[in-house]
Amino acid sequence: MQGNREEFSSRLGFLLAATGSAVGLGNVWGFPTNTADNGGAAFVAVYFVLAFALAYPALMAELVIGRHTRANICTALQQISPPGTGRKMAGFAGFYAIIVASAILVFYTLVAGWMLAWLIAAVCTAIGLGDMATWFASSSLWRDILCAGIFAVFTVAVVSSGVHHGIERWSSRLLPSLLALLLALIAYVLFQPGALEGLRVYLVPDLSRLLEPQLLVSAMGQAFFSLSLGVGTMLVYGSYLSKDENLPAIGAMVTAVDCLVAFLAGLLIIPAMFVAQQLGITIYAGDALIAGPDLIFQVLPALFESMGLAGIVIAIAFFALMSMAALTSSISILEVPVALAVEKTPFTRPRASWMIGSAIFVGTVLVSVFFDRLFGWVVTVTTQYSQPLMGIALCLFAGWAMNRNQLLAEIRSGYDNVENSVFWKIWPFYVRLICPLLIAATFIQSVFL
Ligand code: TRP
């Protein structure tokens, strides 16, 4: 198995796939929404600090473990743990991460299906199929199941084609297209009346909110979700990375691009809300900006509609952007369980992908049917509880289960002079103690807030 394990074909291929995983609905929707919720630029500032101070070291832990062990998260954690109880617990932690990843994909598929539904609706409007457009733009159980199903088929199709021909190829196509669309949309929106007011809200910080505990907790949750941490996504992508690559540099690039795209998405969404306000659309609920689903599925569509012909083109571009961002992320989540199945069972990759993809889709259908009871619960258990806890566990695995020599050897491969770098002076200690403690402190606050 080890001998013919696939690898990303180049540094760029890996970068596009890993940033494709990181850049998703979390950036384009979650980040602007959280920003609107938490006092604008104050949140943006705290977010960037946390992304580099907390999320980047944790991302490095995943990349190092992944590339060192060249295996799925279960096998990887077992490999680096001492035999006996430690190894059993490691296997259990790995398996838990895989379950969490699958549960994240359950709700991610549903939300991605909504984006696809609105994309289809916009295309139907453009070609004059008004009734169909209305059906796709109105929420209903059948619409949700149909569109989530289409999205799930795309996700499985990419993953079943393998790391190189599937994941890398599609990430390389979709991520640049997404960036181009994002820039084009920003350029358009910033010239509309009202946009400057939005820019002010987005970029001028309300410093009084800077140290609010809620802001800190939201920023950490957002950073962990956005960098795809705590469930083994980055670990498994790292396991397909060549030994010639400089891990700290590559991890920093992924973090930077992820932050940049989140920032750009805010530059689009927040000003767009104020453009909408100029057109008479309500953008405040009480004294807070509207966030959550109402922002994406009411405020923005109302804005597009009031823009006439240009609005149709922009709606297509916007929901295409959302769908592409979602797809490059969902494939990385599906890869977590699929990697385990391919390495541990006799199933071929296509068969494992279709089977696991179908099981997850059954979960998505259940969550759509019992939406009120299940959706919020699944999101909270996975993203608010499990991701930080597994984030702590993965830092501890990298910091304590791997010894200093193993870490050094792994990072040195691709980065000759690492002993003298600032990274090596700080990170090993940081990932052992500081990072787990900081995540734990924020996590405890989030539970008791
Ligand atoms: N980071 C992606 C986003 O921002 C979603 C994602 C991909 C993810 N892989 C993950 C989230 C693993 C949590 C865990 O949309």
Side-chain angles (χ1 to χ4, degrees):
M1 179 103 298
Q2 297 275 328
N4 55 15
R5 206 162 188 280
E6 272 196 275
E7 266 189 12
F8 287 106
S9 68
S10 66
R11 172 178 312 164
L12 186 65
F14 173 83
L15 274 174
L16 288 168
T19 22
S21 164
V23 170
L25 298 175
N27 300 58
V28 193
W29 179 353
F31 182 81
T33 302
N34 263 315
T35 305
D37 258 352
N38 289 290
F43 179 84
V44 179
V46 172
Y47 178 79
F48 285 171
V49 172
L50 287 191
F52 277 91
L54 269 187
Y56 170 63
L59 168 66
M60 286 308 301
E62 289 204 30
L63 291 180
V64 168
I65 298 177
R67 199 181 65 169
H68 179 67
T69 55
R70 294 230 167 282
N72 66 81
I73 182 164
C74 247
T75 314
L77 296 185
Q78 282 174 326
Q79 244 183 59
I80 57 173
S81 302
T85 324
R87 194 159 289 176
K88 266 215 190 95
M89 300 272 288
F92 178 74
F95 195 70
Y96 179 69
I98 289 177
I99 300 292
V100 176
S102 309
I104 290 180
L105 191 52
V106 163
F107 77 78
Y108 206 81
T109 302
L110 181 60
V111 177
W114 296 339
M115 302 301 163
L116 204 56
W118 280 85
L119 172 61
I120 299 174
V123 172
C124 288
T125 310
I127 55 178
L129 298 174
D131 288 347
M132 209 131 125
T134 313
W135 190 78
F136 276 103
S138 329
S139 141
S140 74
L141 182 61
W142 289 117
R143 179 205 71 171
D144 288 359
I145 293 178
L146 174 69
C147 294
I150 300 175
F151 184 82
V153 167
F154 278 121
T155 305
V156 172
V158 173
V159 172
S160 77
S161 310
V163 175
H164 180 53
H165 291 291
I167 294 177
E168 181 176 343
R169 175 188 290 174
W170 280 98
S171 302
S172 310
R173 287 177 184 165
L174 294 174
L175 191 74
S177 326
L178 173 168
L179 277 175
L181 276 182
L182 184 58
L183 290 174
L185 283 170
I186 292 173
Y188 182 82
V189 165
L190 283 186
F191 285 104
Q192 303 303 307
L196 290 183
E197 169 65 7
L199 215 50
R200 198 184 59 74
V201 169
Y202 185 46
L203 297 179
V204 180
D206 174 356
L207 290 176
S208 64
R209 305 202 45 181
L210 209 53
L211 292 175
E212 273 180 20
Q214 179 57 47
L215 187 147
L216 221 61
V217 169
S218 307
M220 184 184 83
Q222 176 63 32
F224 266 67
F225 189 83
S226 192
L227 276 166
S228 313
L229 296 178
V231 302
T233 315
M234 288 301 182
L235 188 153
V236 83
Y237 272 21
S239 78
Y240 303 125
L241 184 59
S242 142
K243 293 276 185 193
D244 301 332
E245 299 299 345
N246 177 334
L247 283 180
I250 266 194
M253 265 190 264
V254 172
T255 312
V257 176
D258 185 55
C259 283
L260 177 72
V261 175
F263 180 75
L264 289 176
L267 216 49
L268 169 67
I269 306 259
I270 311 261
M273 292 181 82
F274 286 82
V275 174
Q277 189 183 35
Q278 286 268 318
L279 295 163
I281 299 162
T282 314
I283 63 165
Y284 282 99
D287 37 347
L289 280 172
I290 292 181
D294 288 351
L295 165 60
I296 304 290
F297 303 121
Q298 279 178 19
V299 177
L300 296 183
L303 169 66
F304 300 148
E305 207 167 306
S306 64
M307 289 175 149
L309 199 59
I312 297 179
V313 178
I314 292 185
I316 294 179
F318 178 75
F319 287 109
L321 168 103
M322 287 292 210
S323 307
M324 291 193 283
L327 187 60
T328 54
S329 298
S330 65
I331 54 181
S332 74
I333 313 181
L334 183 60
E335 181 61 21
V336 175
V338 167
L340 174 78
V342 170
E343 284 160 25
K344 285 285 192 193
T345 69
F347 293 123
T348 59
R349 173 175 276 273
R351 177 160 285 200
S353 312
W354 285 103
M355 282 184 350
I356 296 172
S358 310
I360 291 175
F361 182 63
V362 170
T364 305
V365 172
L366 280 177
V367 170
S368 339
V369 174
F370 301 104
F371 185 83
D372 291 339
R373 239 177 292 166
L374 288 183
F375 185 79
W377 184 79
V378 178
V379 173
T380 310
V381 172
T382 52
T383 61
Q384 256 186 33
Y385 293 95
S386 306
Q387 269 192 289
L389 287 179
M390 277 305 299
I392 297 177
L394 288 167
C395 287
L396 294 176
F397 269 108
W400 298 89
M402 283 176 79
N403 63 41
R404 226 180 131 81
N405 290 341
Q406 279 175 318
L407 286 179
L408 184 59
E410 189 53 53
I411 299 173
R412 191 187 279 138
S413 150
Y415 187 1
D416 288 335
N417 210 2
V418 62
E419 285 107 312
N420 299 322
S421 66
V422 182
F423 179 82
W424 184 250
K425 295 205 172 87
I426 300 175
W427 183 75
F429 167 69
Y430 200 84
V431 81
R432 283 185 137 199
L433 276 176
I434 312 284
C435 208
L437 283 175
L438 288 176
I439 303 173
T442 321
F443 174 71
I444 290 169
Q445 280 210 341
S446 79
V447 176
F448 292 107
L449 266 181

mmCIF file of all heavy atoms in Angstrom, residues 21-22 24-27 104 108 225-226 228 231 233 329 332-333 387, ligand 1:
data_model
loop_
_atom_site.group_PDB
_atom_site.id
_atom_site.type_symbol
_atom_site.label_atom_id
_atom_site.label_comp_id
_atom_site.label_asym_id
_atom_site.label_seq_id
_atom_site.Cartn_x
_atom_site.Cartn_y
_atom_site.Cartn_z
ATOM 1 N N SER A 21 -9.643 23.339 0.120
ATOM 2 C CA SER A 21 -10.331 22.778 1.281
ATOM 3 C C SER A 21 -10.648 23.887 2.284
ATOM 4 O O SER A 21 -11.751 23.981 2.804
ATOM 5 C CB SER A 21 -9.438 21.725 1.947
ATOM 6 O OG SER A 21 -9.918 21.443 3.230
ATOM 7 N N ALA A 22 -9.659 24.725 2.530
ATOM 8 C CA ALA A 22 -9.843 25.782 3.526
ATOM 9 C C ALA A 22 -10.888 26.801 3.072
ATOM 10 O O ALA A 22 -11.778 27.188 3.828
ATOM 11 C CB ALA A 22 -8.509 26.477 3.787
ATOM 12 N N GLY A 24 -14.066 27.936 1.718
ATOM 13 C CA GLY A 24 -15.365 27.316 1.466
ATOM 14 C C GLY A 24 -16.476 28.212 1.962
ATOM 15 O O GLY A 24 -16.295 29.430 2.095
ATOM 16 N N LEU A 25 -17.599 27.583 2.254
ATOM 17 C CA LEU A 25 -18.727 28.376 2.751
ATOM 18 C C LEU A 25 -18.336 29.110 4.031
ATOM 19 O O LEU A 25 -18.866 30.169 4.337
ATOM 20 C CB LEU A 25 -19.922 27.463 3.003
ATOM 21 C CG LEU A 25 -20.425 26.755 1.744
ATOM 22 C CD1 LEU A 25 -21.522 25.768 2.086
ATOM 23 C CD2 LEU A 25 -20.927 27.787 0.735
ATOM 24 N N GLY A 26 -17.398 28.515 4.779
ATOM 25 C CA GLY A 26 -16.898 29.165 5.993
ATOM 26 C C GLY A 26 -16.330 30.541 5.694
ATOM 27 O O GLY A 26 -16.516 31.486 6.471
ATOM 28 N N ASN A 27 -15.631 30.688 4.571
ATOM 29 C CA ASN A 27 -15.061 31.998 4.231
ATOM 30 C C ASN A 27 -16.101 32.932 3.666
ATOM 31 O O ASN A 27 -16.199 34.091 4.037
ATOM 32 C CB ASN A 27 -13.979 31.872 3.152
ATOM 33 C CG ASN A 27 -12.845 30.992 3.585
ATOM 34 O OD1 ASN A 27 -13.057 29.831 3.922
ATOM 35 N ND2 ASN A 27 -11.669 31.534 3.608
ATOM 36 N N ILE A 104 -19.837 16.522 9.709
ATOM 37 C CA ILE A 104 -19.714 17.870 9.132
ATOM 38 C C ILE A 104 -20.186 17.837 7.684
ATOM 39 O O ILE A 104 -20.920 18.705 7.220
ATOM 40 C CB ILE A 104 -18.262 18.385 9.250
ATOM 41 C CG1 ILE A 104 -17.941 18.688 10.718
ATOM 42 C CG2 ILE A 104 -18.055 19.628 8.378
ATOM 43 C CD1 ILE A 104 -16.549 19.200 10.977
ATOM 44 N N TYR A 108 -22.882 20.088 5.699
ATOM 45 C CA TYR A 108 -22.250 20.902 4.651
ATOM 46 C C TYR A 108 -22.924 20.632 3.293
ATOM 47 O O TYR A 108 -23.144 21.549 2.501
ATOM 48 C CB TYR A 108 -20.759 20.555 4.592
ATOM 49 C CG TYR A 108 -19.881 21.666 4.070
ATOM 50 C CD1 TYR A 108 -19.487 22.712 4.897
ATOM 51 C CD2 TYR A 108 -19.431 21.666 2.754
ATOM 52 C CE1 TYR A 108 -18.668 23.733 4.430
ATOM 53 C CE2 TYR A 108 -18.617 22.676 2.282
ATOM 54 C CZ TYR A 108 -18.235 23.705 3.121
ATOM 55 O OH TYR A 108 -17.425 24.712 2.653
ATOM 56 N N PHE A 225 -12.832 26.205 11.771
ATOM 57 C CA PHE A 225 -13.679 25.704 10.696
ATOM 58 C C PHE A 225 -13.059 26.062 9.353
ATOM 59 O O PHE A 225 -12.944 25.235 8.455
ATOM 60 C CB PHE A 225 -15.089 26.292 10.798
ATOM 61 C CG PHE A 225 -16.051 25.653 9.850
ATOM 62 C CD1 PHE A 225 -16.673 24.461 10.179
ATOM 63 C CD2 PHE A 225 -16.326 26.228 8.619
ATOM 64 C CE1 PHE A 225 -17.548 23.842 9.301
ATOM 65 C CE2 PHE A 225 -17.198 25.624 7.736
ATOM 66 C CZ PHE A 225 -17.815 24.429 8.073
ATOM 67 N N SER A 226 -12.620 27.311 9.256
ATOM 68 C CA SER A 226 -12.130 27.790 7.977
ATOM 69 C C SER A 226 -10.855 27.073 7.562
ATOM 70 O O SER A 226 -10.640 26.819 6.383
ATOM 71 C CB SER A 226 -11.899 29.291 8.040
ATOM 72 O OG SER A 226 -11.686 29.769 6.761
ATOM 73 N N SER A 228 -10.199 24.070 8.203
ATOM 74 C CA SER A 228 -10.523 22.634 8.111
ATOM 75 C C SER A 228 -9.777 21.821 9.159
ATOM 76 O O SER A 228 -9.251 20.750 8.857
ATOM 77 C CB SER A 228 -10.169 22.079 6.722
ATOM 78 O OG SER A 228 -10.626 22.894 5.712
ATOM 79 N N VAL A 231 -10.297 17.424 12.224
ATOM 80 C CA VAL A 231 -10.958 16.183 11.819
ATOM 81 C C VAL A 231 -10.078 15.350 10.879
ATOM 82 O O VAL A 231 -10.508 14.310 10.400
ATOM 83 C CB VAL A 231 -12.322 16.448 11.139
ATOM 84 C CG1 VAL A 231 -13.229 17.219 12.065
ATOM 85 C CG2 VAL A 231 -12.149 17.169 9.822
ATOM 86 N N THR A 233 -8.646 16.419 7.946
ATOM 87 C CA THR A 233 -8.611 16.806 6.528
ATOM 88 C C THR A 233 -7.199 17.212 6.130
ATOM 89 O O THR A 233 -6.653 16.734 5.136
ATOM 90 C CB THR A 233 -9.490 18.051 6.276
ATOM 91 O OG1 THR A 233 -10.710 17.901 6.937
ATOM 92 C CG2 THR A 233 -9.723 18.264 4.830
ATOM 93 N N SER A 329 -14.211 22.145 -0.842
ATOM 94 C CA SER A 329 -14.130 21.806 0.581
ATOM 95 C C SER A 329 -14.740 20.441 0.853
ATOM 96 O O SER A 329 -14.178 19.634 1.593
ATOM 97 C CB SER A 329 -14.865 22.844 1.426
ATOM 98 O OG SER A 329 -14.267 24.094 1.267
ATOM 99 N N SER A 332 -12.583 17.485 0.289
ATOM 100 C CA SER A 332 -11.535 17.243 1.290
ATOM 101 C C SER A 332 -12.117 16.571 2.523
ATOM 102 O O SER A 332 -11.441 15.815 3.206
ATOM 103 C CB SER A 332 -10.845 18.548 1.668
ATOM 104 O OG SER A 332 -11.676 19.340 2.497
ATOM 105 N N ILE A 333 -13.385 16.838 2.822
ATOM 106 C CA ILE A 333 -13.989 16.195 3.996
ATOM 107 C C ILE A 333 -14.250 14.722 3.685
ATOM 108 O O ILE A 333 -13.973 13.842 4.496
ATOM 109 C CB ILE A 333 -15.296 16.899 4.425
ATOM 110 C CG1 ILE A 333 -15.103 18.428 4.461
ATOM 111 C CG2 ILE A 333 -15.740 16.399 5.781
ATOM 112 C CD1 ILE A 333 -16.327 19.212 4.883
ATOM 113 N N GLN A 387 -14.517 19.949 17.128
ATOM 114 C CA GLN A 387 -13.341 20.467 16.422
ATOM 115 C C GLN A 387 -12.288 21.028 17.370
ATOM 116 O O GLN A 387 -11.116 20.674 17.246
ATOM 117 C CB GLN A 387 -13.757 21.514 15.398
ATOM 118 C CG GLN A 387 -14.026 20.913 14.035
ATOM 119 C CD GLN A 387 -14.144 22.012 12.991
ATOM 120 O OE1 GLN A 387 -15.113 22.745 12.977
ATOM 121 N NE2 GLN A 387 -13.143 22.120 12.152
HETATM 122 N N1 TRP B 1 -12.930 24.965 5.628
HETATM 123 C C1 TRP B 1 -14.092 24.781 4.845
HETATM 124 C C2 TRP B 1 -14.912 26.064 4.806
HETATM 125 O O1 TRP B 1 -14.474 27.075 5.229
HETATM 126 C C3 TRP B 1 -14.942 23.628 5.301
HETATM 127 C C4 TRP B 1 -14.187 22.405 5.664
HETATM 128 C C5 TRP B 1 -13.460 21.600 4.837
HETATM 129 C C6 TRP B 1 -14.097 21.879 6.947
HETATM 130 N N2 TRP B 1 -12.889 20.585 5.562
HETATM 131 C C7 TRP B 1 -13.274 20.727 6.863
HETATM 132 C C8 TRP B 1 -14.621 22.285 8.146
HETATM 133 C C9 TRP B 1 -12.978 20.009 8.003
HETATM 134 C C10 TRP B 1 -14.341 21.550 9.289
HETATM 135 C C11 TRP B 1 -13.506 20.426 9.205
HETATM 136 O O2 TRP B 1 -16.011 26.048 4.361
#
